[in-house]
Amino acid sequence: MSNTEQNDISPGIVLLLATATGLIVANLYYAQTLVGPISAATGLSPGAAGLIVTLTQIGYTLGLLFVVPLGDLLENRRLIFGGLLFTSAMLVLAAFSTSAWLFLTAALGIGLGSVAAQIIVPFAAHLSKESTRGHTVGKVVSGLLLGIMLARPVASLVADASNWHVVFGGAALIVLAVALVLRAKLPPRAPASNLTYAALMASLWHLFLRTPLLRRRAAYHAGLFGSFSLFWTVTPLMLAGPQFHLSQTGIAIFALVGMAGAVASPIAGRLADAGHTLMATAAALALGVVGFALPMIAPESRNVALAMLVVASIVLDMGVAANLVLGQRAIFTLGAEVRSRLNGVYFALFFAGGALGSALGGWMYATHGWHAALLTGMAFPALALVYWVTEYAGHAAGQRKVA
């Protein structure tokens, strides 16, 4: 039976997939506001603290490149279930870690297994009718964004009420529960593909070379996601430091306020539907630059400086949320038979930017201070904006030729 002849995906399954995606992707972000206590407990030096976030993102990038494409080859439900069991085991390892090398190993594994979230998104697209596919994917991606935004404050609140070990132990139980529910509720989906794994991997390079839209959208979001990762690696350290003296609960409240940036997602979707993707992308990248400029002009007053930092977090999150929607919407128009591979390459490329941002941010903050870290963070979306100018120039030239 073709996808257009079958019943459309039910609202209950959409809600389940959106919730599952958010809970899975949250595993990538729990450590961001806990860098300080984890470093202290495991003996990690301040200069290497960024590795806590970086290795999770490296693991996720590896999974996006080598695991997610299997969604075009292997039965999807089984692939998701196996990935979540592995993730749960890595979260248990993180919860019981007492040394830096053990926690960093777990962090790499958490990232690798959490790519199950990016197998779920194309799965949702497959289960939907063509006429409702964009709406369904939008809802599932909204769940993903909610998971990203909530992970940091939830981790801080739980750690403040108990300790960081409980955060990862609780996450292990949640992921195990998600795995069991998805296994029970999802229908099987076996892709009709005769490719070998080697041929599947080789096709990623061809997709990258032959899809200019993929390369451009990945570059834009690598710039924004690099700045986003840098911000949430160094800002909790700054907030807990001598200038602000915030507790984990205070940092959690700060991160919760930053969630207001998620309002940009539906706005970006409507702008894209109206044919304004090009200018909306420029606005999203500009918000990334502004998000790092604001803390640099803050006065000495602690309260005003903290308020400026709150506004900066909202502005930055707005830019990231809007650009993710713009990019995801564009990528899913490129072909159903390669959807998992396109999604994997897209996320892998911009998560590589995130890994670079968190590593560079941690090092810059430890060695050169807060303002140097802010300037580094600003450089990521600024470079992406320079690249956007080349697209705008090409678009303007095309319009002049038509005229």
Side-chain angles (χ1 to χ4, degrees), residues 100-310:
W101 73 267
L102 199 60
F103 186 89
L104 293 177
T105 299
L108 186 71
I110 289 167
L112 188 63
S114 294
V115 295
Q118 295 308 327
I119 301 170
I120 290 175
V121 178
F123 193 102
H126 170 77
L127 293 176
S128 303
K129 288 184 176 180
E130 182 68 34
S131 59
T132 61
R133 184 166 292 144
H135 186 60
T136 298
V137 170
K139 286 185 175 180
V140 175
V141 171
S142 294
L144 182 146
L145 286 171
L146 195 59
I148 292 173
M149 300 291 186
L150 280 172
R152 298 185 299 265
V154 167
S156 289
L157 289 170
V158 173
D160 214 25
S162 52
N163 57 65
W164 65 267
H165 299 277
V166 174
V167 174
F168 291 95
L173 294 176
I174 290 170
V175 169
L176 180 60
V178 169
L180 295 172
V181 171
L182 290 179
R183 187 184 185 190
K185 296 293 185 181
L186 291 183
R189 189 227 164 186
S193 176
N194 296 320
L195 288 175
T196 63
Y197 183 69
L200 188 78
M201 290 294 99
S203 72
L204 297 181
W205 179 243
H206 295 298
L207 284 173
F208 176 76
L209 290 179
R210 297 172 185 173
T211 317
L213 175 64
L214 172 64
R215 297 196 300 271
R216 188 169 284 278
R217 295 308 318 185
Y220 293 156
H221 209 62
L224 269 174
F225 200 68
S227 66
F228 175 86
S229 296
L230 184 150
F231 185 89
W232 287 107
T233 297
V234 302
T235 300
L237 298 173
M238 183 66 177
L239 292 174
Q243 182 177 353
F244 297 109
H245 290 293
L246 291 190
S247 65
Q248 285 298 320
T249 297
I251 294 172
I253 294 170
F254 177 90
L256 278 171
V257 174
M259 283 181 60
V263 300
S265 297
I267 297 171
R270 286 194 293 270
L271 287 171
D273 288 340
H276 302 306
T277 297
L278 183 63
M279 298 312 296
T281 298
L285 295 172
L287 286 173
V289 174
V290 171
F292 283 89
L294 288 173
M296 288 193 288
I297 60 174
E300 291 299 316
S301 167
R302 175 188 181 276
N303 291 337
V304 176
L306 184 58
M308 292 287 278
L309 202 52
V310 168

